[in-house]
């Protein structure tokens, strides 16, 4: 049995940075509150909780004023509220997401209708909408844009094909289209590597939180090609998945620690040795 482990699996730069900032802020024993899970990975969230980094869904649940902004960023109205109420803000917005927010602001200033290509309920997309004064639209097959000058900003973790699709679909209706490619290259490498691995294996394992958008996308992409399983931990692995398999691939989303991927690989090696 051969196991192929993706080199680009594991925490991305933005998530690593957010976790480092949260841990540093909680070091003096003060609790730090994250508005929504700091990272879409239940094991890591539990671990952070033990370090005093607590997930809340609203400001009322906080016992002090230390608040961390997730790598996805935040709606500017929430940021303003935090600033007005003198919160101690630890801003872990990924610099690449911040860049996308700045592009949205720029497009609005220049009079373009902003079209965001992304998942409507993703926190990053909600934040981007906020930076357009909630006047942007989220791309879908059915949208009809009346404006003749549009500016496209993709979510950082979206597949390139979705951006390409939006461009092709909208270009006949406009006079001018400005496109900012804000897709994070970590996302591109991760998807590309998973595409290469899935072609040469019989079964693919995708490790990461079931609530993680980018992990779910990796899973969807892999399962369209080969039998694939999305797991959060080794306890979910079933030996029957590998009955006729000779090659297994492992990849992980941006919110999965590298150690978790290594643990799964070790577990599989053990499992295959015992067969
Ligand atoms: Fe940032 Fe890219 Fe991660 S945008 S949060 S480094 S996937």
């Amino acid at each position: 049995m051969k196991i192929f482990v993706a080199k680009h699996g594991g925490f991305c730069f933005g998530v690593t940075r957010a976790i480092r900032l949260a841990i540093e802020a909680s070091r003096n024993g003060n609790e730090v509150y994250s508005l929504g899970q700091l990272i879409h990975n239940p094991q890591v969230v539990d671990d952070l909780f033990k370090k005093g980094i607590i997930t809340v869904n609203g400001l009322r649940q906080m016992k002090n004023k230390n608040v961390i902004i997730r790598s996805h960023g935040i709606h500017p109205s929430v940021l303003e509220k935090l600033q007005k109420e003198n919160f101690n803000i630890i801003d872990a917005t990924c610099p690449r997401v911040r860049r996308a927010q700045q592009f949205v602001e720029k497009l609005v200033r220049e009079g373009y209708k902003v079209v965001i290509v992304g998942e409507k309920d993703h926190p990053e997309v909600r934040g981007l909408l906020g930076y357009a004064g909630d006047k942007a639209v989220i791309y879908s097959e059915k949208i009809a844009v009346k404006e003749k000058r549009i500016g496209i900003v993709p979510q950082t973790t979206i597949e390139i094909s979705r951006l390409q699709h939006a461009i092709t679909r909208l270009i006949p209706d406009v006079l001018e289209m400005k496109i900012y490619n804000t897709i994070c290259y970590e996302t591109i490498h991760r998807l590309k590597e998973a595409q290469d691995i899935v072609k040469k294996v019989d079964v693919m394992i995708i490790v990461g939180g079931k609530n993680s958008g980018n992990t779910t996308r990796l899973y969807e992409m892999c399962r369209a090609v080969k039998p694939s399983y999305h797991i959060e931990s080794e306890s979910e692995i079933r030996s029957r998945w590998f009955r006729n398999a000779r090659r297994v691939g492992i990849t992980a989303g941006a919110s999965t620690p590298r150690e978790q991927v290594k643990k799964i690989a070790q577990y599989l090696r053990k499992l295959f040795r015992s067969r």
Side-chain angles (χ1 to χ4, degrees):
M1 181 73 80
K2 202 156 183 204
I3 299 176
F4 296 84
V5 182
K7 288 191 193 78
H8 291 288
F11 283 167
C12 64
F13 151 76
V15 168
T16 308
R17 179 173 169 272
I19 291 177
R20 177 177 51 78
L21 290 173
I23 292 175
E24 276 171 15
S26 68
R27 226 166 240 156
N28 54 9
N30 283 334
E31 286 179 346
V32 176
Y33 293 89
S34 169
L35 285 172
Q37 291 188 341
L38 189 61
I39 161 168
H40 291 151
N41 185 301
Q43 281 109 317
V44 180
V45 169
D46 284 351
D47 223 46
L48 290 171
F49 182 80
K50 289 177 201 142
K51 293 187 166 82
I53 299 139
I54 297 158
T55 305
V56 289
N57 296 315
L59 304 185
R60 287 216 188 107
Q61 291 170 280
M62 294 173 53
K63 291 194 191 121
N64 65 33
K65 290 208 157 187
N66 297 327
V67 64
I68 182 152
I69 296 176
R70 307 185 282 180
S71 55
H72 304 308
I74 204 168
H75 195 286
S77 64
V78 183
L79 184 63
E80 259 168 48
K81 189 172 162 58
L82 294 172
Q83 283 163 340
K84 242 186 230 157
E85 294 185 20
N86 289 322
F87 275 83
N88 170 31
I89 303 167
I90 302 126
D91 190 355
T93 306
C94 176
R96 294 171 196 163
V97 173
R98 182 70 198 118
R99 210 171 123 249
Q101 294 170 345
Q102 286 163 343
F103 285 141
V104 168
E105 287 176 311
K106 187 168 180 288
L107 286 167
V108 172
R109 272 198 312 273
E110 292 171 354
Y112 289 87
K113 177 76 182 174
V114 177
V115 179
I116 295 164
V117 183
E119 292 148 23
K120 70 173 172 35
D121 295 322
H122 194 283
E124 178 187 327
V125 172
R126 288 203 298 266
L128 290 176
L129 277 176
Y131 281 89
D134 288 328
K135 284 185 196 124
V137 288
I138 298 169
Y139 176 73
S140 76
E141 291 270 353
K142 289 178 199 135
I143 61 160
V145 180
K146 284 184 231 99
E147 291 79 357
K148 292 294 169 205
R149 298 171 75 220
I150 67 167
I152 296 190
V153 180
Q155 182 184 335
T156 54
T157 49
I158 216 75
E159 303 94 315
I160 280 197
S161 57
R162 281 178 71 175
L163 172 62
Q164 287 166 332
H165 186 276
I167 296 168
T168 315
R169 151 84 175 71
L170 294 173
I171 203 133
D173 300 332
V174 297
L175 278 177
E176 192 185 337
M177 180 184 274
K178 206 166 193 176
I179 305 153
Y180 283 108
N181 181 8
T182 48
I183 299 179
C184 173
Y185 66 83
E186 296 213 25
T187 309
I188 297 171
H189 288 165
R190 201 178 297 270
L191 275 164
K192 171 86 186 60
E193 194 185 20
Q195 272 163 353
D196 292 343
I197 293 178
V198 76
K199 276 187 220 146
K200 53 187 180 196
V201 298
D202 305 302
V203 175
M204 194 75 183
I205 301 291
I206 298 93
V207 191
K210 301 265 163 75
N211 55 349
S212 155
N214 72 83
T215 312
T216 306
R217 268 196 301 284
L218 274 174
Y219 167 63
E220 297 293 345
M221 190 269 289
C222 292
R223 82 172 181 157
V225 185
K226 294 281 170 64
S228 302
Y229 300 93
H230 179 176
I231 58 167
E232 288 182 349
S233 76
E234 60 270 32
S235 64
E236 293 166 69
I237 295 175
R238 299 289 171 265
S239 61
R240 64 172 186 276
W241 297 347
F242 312 101
R243 213 164 272 153
N244 301 312
R246 299 193 52 190
R247 294 188 178 90
V248 175
I250 306 174
T251 188
S255 47
T256 310
R258 195 76 204 151
E259 296 71 53
Q260 214 167 324
V261 179
K262 280 189 193 153
K263 252 170 120 182
I264 303 286
Q266 272 164 8
Y267 181 88
L268 286 180
R269 276 187 201 108
K270 241 191 190 165
L271 179 79
F272 300 147
R273 269 201 299 270
S274 68
R275 293 207 307 187

